Amino acid sequence: SPTYAYGTPNLKSVKKSLSTREATARSADRESLLSSNTVVSTALGENNLVCVEDVIHEIFTAGDNFKAASNFLWPFKLTSPRG
């Protein structure tokens, strides 16, 4: 499947990256999968981000809590293209 490494992503690609690639989140300075809304609400509840969809929306729109949402996520591990 095609991936991206530069440019402006659309909502579908942001949602796919954070949902299906097993994105990891910082939770008490350790990695945890971003598969549960409990992880998000525990870490970002004070910023009114209570579910994975809220994090996706905040990252995509670069809203008021973008910095908190982006600091919550661990960087993605990219692989070089083959071929």
Side-chain angles (χ1 to χ4, degrees), residues 27 33 35-45 49-52 72:
S27 177
L33 291 178
S35 59
S36 170
N37 290 336
T38 309
V39 175
V40 176
S41 64
T42 302
L44 297 173
L49 301 174
V50 293
C51 64
V52 177
F72 172 66

Side-chain angles (χ1 to χ4, degrees), residues 44 47 49 54-55 58-59 65-73:
L44 297 173
N47 294 320
L49 301 174
D54 289 344
V55 174
E58 203 64 30
I59 294 294
N65 297 313
F66 175 79
K67 185 173 183 176
S70 64
N71 287 338
F72 172 66
L73 299 171

Side-chain angles (χ1 to χ4, degrees), residues 6-61:
Y6 65 92
T8 305
N10 58 19
L11 180 59
K12 181 181 175 183
S13 62
V14 171
K15 192 178 289 189
K16 181 180 175 185
S17 295
L18 293 179
S19 300
T20 60
R21 290 183 179 228
E22 296 182 1
T24 53
R26 295 174 198 223
S27 177
D29 292 330
R30 61 184 176 93
E31 289 186 51
S32 60
L33 291 178
L34 190 63
S35 59
S36 170
N37 290 336
T38 309
V39 175
V40 176
S41 64
T42 302
L44 297 173
E46 67 272 1
N47 294 320
N48 293 328
L49 301 174
V50 293
C51 64
V52 177
E53 283 294 321
D54 289 344
V55 174
I56 292 170
H57 179 265
E58 203 64 30
I59 294 294
F60 182 70
T61 61

